[in-house]
Amino acid sequence: MTTFVTTELYVFHIEPDQYIPGNILFSDRYALKTTDGTTTSLIAGSSSAGYSTSSGSSARFNDMTGFHQITATRVFLVDSNNHCMRMLDRISNASYVSYAGYCCSRGYAEGTSRARFYYPSSAIADKKAIGRLLITDRNNHAVRLVNTNYASGYQYVTTFYRSTNSLQYPTGITQEYASGDLFITTHSHYVYKLAYSSKALTILSGTGSGGFQDGFSCQTRFSYPYEPLLIGRHTLLIADSSNYRLRVLDLNSLTTGSLCSGTGGTVDGNLTACSTYYPRSLAVVNDSLFIGQFKAIRKIKGLIHQLFLNVFTFK
């Protein structure tokens, strides 16, 4: 693991930049930025929280916990603590008002202008339906759907799944391509599988108690896991934030192992000696894994190749 670039605040989400090929697009808590590893440029936002639909450095967000590039020039932003979705134009660097949900008004409701979210967290494209986004709505204990086919104004919001008893405080989400099944992490320290067609919810790993433990699903413990990343069909990487580790969940055996030492920091090195500090976001670019964490983006070169060959040993 090496440090790709240092940042100002906290890297909540990262993706390969579609507007500037070769760059990494990332949310640095209150701002959207792009970097090639040497030069970092501000797109919109600042180093402080707020709400403003102005362009560039005059724009304000309150915890940009996720985003999704709908096209190379349109970025769907999850403005979590403002309880809404914003749309950003890469050409003008201007953010629209409320794109989905009503900014600065939390709650639970469906529809267009009356739709409400309560700390939305992550956004991904629905691989089974063109023009739909899947959103984890943390304090509504739900996965919401946003239809992005509307030409302008508020987009239509519905609910894909909601349960205040089981799916408590969902944060990260990823999707298996063929089946459409969803893998979801939660602030209740679980990793779930949500079947796309039947909506059956299954605990894959975790005990519901925060802490650290590797092993079989009923033994494993996480501490505020965030983004999951599906590698192939049988491996799920998880940014286990408060354990300062990346966790590796084998979906066949339902056993979990760990990468990095568990000591918070930015020590470079191999997959046992490395350290990370509140890892939160994950992205694959070619054969390398990028990790968004507190004040840095880290890089593990060749990790995906190693995972497929299973040549490393879990801690």
Side-chain angles (χ1 to χ4, degrees), residues 45-124:
S46 74
S47 59
S48 59
Y51 178 77
S52 169
T53 59
S54 299
S55 302
S57 60
S58 297
R60 292 293 181 272
F61 304 91
N62 194 353
D63 278 2
M64 191 191 300
T65 55
F67 62 82
H68 176 70
Q69 297 167 90
I70 294 178
T71 67
T73 60
R74 298 175 70 219
V75 186
F76 181 91
L77 306 173
V78 181
D79 196 355
S80 182
N81 286 8
N82 282 324
H83 310 289
C84 64
M85 312 298 150
R86 315 265 295 273
M87 183 64 73
L88 184 132
D89 183 343
R90 289 293 299 272
I91 297 173
S92 65
N93 290 348
S95 58
Y96 304 139
V97 191
S98 297
Y99 184 76
Y102 195 86
C103 290
C104 306
S105 177
R106 68 190 187 193
Y108 176 77
E110 298 182 340
T112 52
S113 61
R114 67 182 295 272
R116 297 292 185 273
F117 294 89
Y118 197 169
Y119 295 120
S121 185
S122 297
I124 61 171

Side-chain angles (χ1 to χ4, degrees), residues 122-192:
S122 297
I124 61 171
D126 186 348
K127 294 182 174 68
K128 305 298 286 185
I130 296 173
R132 295 201 318 187
L133 297 177
L134 293 155
I135 315 294
T136 50
D137 194 1
R138 194 185 73 192
N139 281 35
N140 277 323
H141 314 292
V143 177
R144 313 291 296 278
L145 284 173
V146 176
N147 186 339
T148 63
N149 288 323
Y150 283 29
S152 62
Y154 292 98
Q155 305 301 290
Y156 200 86
V157 178
T158 57
T159 299
F160 183 81
Y161 183 89
R162 189 186 189 202
S163 174
T164 57
N165 294 321
S166 54
L167 189 64
Q168 294 185 333
Y169 307 107
T171 51
I173 185 171
T174 193
Q175 187 177 31
E176 202 275 323
Y177 181 80
S179 66
D181 293 346
L182 304 174
F183 299 94
I184 302 169
T185 56
T186 72
H187 267 190
S188 54
H189 315 295
Y190 284 111
V191 178
Y192 287 97

